[in-house]
């Protein structure tokens, strides 16, 4: 990953940030900074990945996939977890 000092906000990315802000905010009048929203989203992504790795050998693959599959994390039948973003 390269480090950048700016973040281009496409329409789709802005929509995702707006939705994530609603989740992170303490109420309708709370407007958390973008850094807090991004930290929460990244933490959730890392924890989701760790949880998936932890349970994928203890439960049937289809059950894990049905429960944990998102557009970011996917489970291939007992082989690997992969990112679909890039």
């Amino acid at each position: 990953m390269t480090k950048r000092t700016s973040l281009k906000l496409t329409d789709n990315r802005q929509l995702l940030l707006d939705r994530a802000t609603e989740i992170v905010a303490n109420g309708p009048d709370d407007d958390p900074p973008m850094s807090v929203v991004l930290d929460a989203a990244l933490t959730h992504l890392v924890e989701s990945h760790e949880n998936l790795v932890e349970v994928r050998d203890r439960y049937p693959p289809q059950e894990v996939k049905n429960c944990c599959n998102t557009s970011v994390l996917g489970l291939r039948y007992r082989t690997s977890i992969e990112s679909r973003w890039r």
Side-chain angles (χ1 to χ4, degrees), residues 55 58-69 75:
V55 301
R58 291 194 284 165
Y59 295 96
Q62 190 61 45
E63 187 175 334
V64 174
K65 186 176 187 305
N66 291 343
C67 180
C68 301
N69 197 28
L75 177 68

Side-chain angles (χ1 to χ4, degrees), residues 5 14 18 31 42-44 52 68 86:
T5 57
Q14 183 64 55
D18 291 343
D31 188 21
L42 292 171
T43 300
H44 179 70
L52 227 156
C68 301
R86 289 195 179 233

Side-chain angles (χ1 to χ4, degrees), residues 1-85:
M1 175 179 75
T2 60
K3 293 184 179 182
R4 297 186 180 175
T5 57
S6 64
L7 177 67
K8 182 177 179 181
L9 293 179
T10 61
D11 290 342
N12 189 45
R13 186 174 286 154
Q14 183 64 55
L15 177 64
L16 290 171
L17 280 169
D18 291 343
R19 292 180 66 193
T21 299
E22 291 174 9
I23 294 168
V24 172
N26 287 327
D29 297 328
D30 188 21
D31 188 21
M34 187 185 304
S35 61
V36 170
V37 175
L38 292 173
D39 286 347
L42 292 171
T43 300
H44 179 70
L45 175 64
V46 169
E47 289 175 354
S48 294
H49 178 265
E50 290 169 353
N51 291 339
L52 227 156
V53 168
E54 184 178 316
V55 301
R56 71 180 184 175
D57 291 328
R58 291 194 284 165
Y59 295 96
Q62 190 61 45
E63 187 175 334
V64 174
K65 186 176 187 305
N66 291 343
C67 180
C68 301
N69 197 28
T70 71
S71 60
V72 177
L73 294 176
L75 177 68
R76 289 190 182 242
Y77 190 81
R78 292 194 187 272
T79 56
S80 67
I81 296 171
E82 65 182 36
S83 171
R84 295 186 184 153
W85 286 103

